[in-house]
Amino acid sequence: MSEDQKKKIEETVQYLNERKPNNPHIAIVLGSGLGGLTNAIDILEEIPYQEIPNFPVSTVKGHKGTMIFGKLNDIDVVVLSGRFHYYEGYSMDTVTYPQQVFAGLGIKTIILSNAAGGMNPTFAVGDIMIIRDHINFFGTNPLIGPNDDSLGERFPNMSEVYSHRLIHLAHQKANELNIHLQEGVYMGVSGPCFETPAEYRAYHILGADAVGMSTVPEAIIAHYRGMEIFALSVITDLGVIGKVMDASHEEVLTAATAAGPKMVKLICEMLPEM
Ligand code: HPA
């Protein structure tokens, strides 16, 4: 990364270190329509992105644009309600700015959530899919450019981006809560178009179970910066051959909002053992 970018991140981290009311080691990023989780937080401080020096501002409906410090199931967390997407025109540096800031704040574990289209024929709308692995189909990578060896490796190993320990914990808690979980591979694409039937089919043949427009760049930076990652998709529409839905942003938000409470229950149960 450039020296200028590094200075900006340091400034943001310094501001947040002075303003934060608690010292969380876990960060949560909320996907489209999944903002309902904020209702379960004991909020200590909610900071609009505009107040945070150098922080980007989100433009998408269904994404609020605040950083919340608080407690969830009695565990200290910092939550991003509103993320930055590549399709909004942001650079990869901007899309992953929060993960660089989290690393600076000492975050050790990150939970990434998103809404995604399901391509696996066993999936149904409203399912939760634990992300076991991803395929980066953005056509770019947030680590392109000069590497700062003090932050991470030039050629990061990607054999376990999504923590096997946390995937195991998710299955264990889902069993106890009687929540039906899917597990699979997430394909990250730029968007903003939803997929054509041929694209859904191609992505499934390539090995992906769900497709969405976020998470992959964030996971790459979080992994690069040494965080343990847990990620999940809420399946909001289907790109299954013969059942391709004409997905719209409204439908995605409605389906995500409906499945939200299930995701919140699962995350709350996992937190004490993360
Ligand atoms: N494709 C891409 N992104 C998405 C989808 C989809 O079908 N659903 C929610 N986000």
Side-chain angles (χ1 to χ4, degrees):
M1 106 175 42
S2 69
E3 277 307 307
D4 187 48
Q5 179 76 353
K6 196 173 175 189
K7 255 220 309 276
K8 277 191 181 151
I9 292 164
E10 280 165 6
E11 245 172 49
T12 308
V13 168
Q14 193 189 344
Y15 173 88
L16 290 170
N17 267 331
E18 282 163 17
R19 187 154 171 191
K20 68 181 185 185
N22 56 347
N23 191 26
H25 291 166
I26 301 176
I28 304 175
V29 179
L30 298 178
S32 300
L34 297 170
L37 178 136
T38 59
N39 297 324
I41 307 175
D42 292 318
I43 298 179
L44 299 171
E45 178 101 55
E46 179 163 8
I47 311 175
Y49 292 162
Q50 301 94 281
E51 291 181 24
I52 307 174
N54 309 327
F55 215 75
V57 176
S58 53
T59 66
V60 198
K61 216 168 109 189
H63 286 260
K64 195 163 155 206
T66 61
M67 184 182 290
I68 300 168
F69 288 89
K71 282 184 185 284
L72 188 56
N73 195 17
D74 231 23
I75 305 293
D76 287 304
V77 291
V78 53
V79 177
L80 275 197
S81 184
R83 59 148 57 91
F84 310 106
H85 303 85
Y86 193 54
Y87 64 73
E88 292 175 81
Y90 296 119
S91 66
M92 277 284 156
D93 272 356
T94 302
V95 168
T96 57
Y97 197 83
Q99 284 67 41
Q100 296 283 7
V101 168
F102 286 152
L105 287 172
I107 295 298
K108 303 280 180 262
T109 305
I110 191 165
I111 302 172
L112 301 169
S113 65
N114 62 55
M119 300 176 296
N120 184 315
T122 69
F123 287 7
V125 168
D127 278 353
I128 292 180
M129 183 191 88
I130 302 303
I131 300 180
R132 178 178 65 237
D133 203 349
H134 75 222
I135 298 172
N136 177 14
F137 224 63
F138 277 81
T140 183
N141 190 298
L143 289 171
I144 290 174
N147 189 57
D148 184 331
D149 294 338
S150 71
L151 302 182
E153 286 185 59
R154 171 73 292 187
F155 301 107
N157 182 290
M158 300 291 278
S159 59
E160 189 184 334
V161 175
Y162 302 92
S163 163
H164 292 176
R165 179 182 83 86
L166 295 180
I167 292 172
H168 182 76
L169 179 65
H171 283 296
Q172 189 189 324
K173 295 297 177 190
N175 259 338
E176 289 169 20
L177 292 166
N178 227 342
I179 292 175
H180 174 64
L181 275 193
Q182 305 281 9
E183 187 185 312
V185 173
Y186 176 89
M187 169 84 84
V189 297
S190 72
C193 297
F194 288 113
E195 287 63 35
T196 63
E199 285 166 341
Y200 282 125
R201 180 161 180 269
Y203 297 164
H204 188 235
I205 289 170
L206 283 177
D209 299 287
V211 57
M213 307 174 195
S214 66
T215 304
V216 166
E218 300 161 27
I220 289 172
I221 294 301
H223 181 63
Y224 168 78
R225 297 297 307 266
M227 289 177 223
E228 189 173 21
I229 303 174
F230 176 69
L232 51 79
S233 294
V234 171
I235 303 301
T236 55
D237 54 276
L238 294 177
V240 174
I241 311 311
K243 289 198 265 184
V244 176
M245 299 163 64
D246 46 356
S248 71
H249 187 54
E250 270 62 37
E251 280 163 349
V252 166
L253 290 183
T254 306
T257 306
K262 212 165 44 169
M263 180 192 82
V264 173
K265 254 204 257 172
L266 178 66
I267 291 175
C268 282
E269 283 305 304
M270 290 174 67
L271 278 174
E273 290 169 57
M274 293 187 97

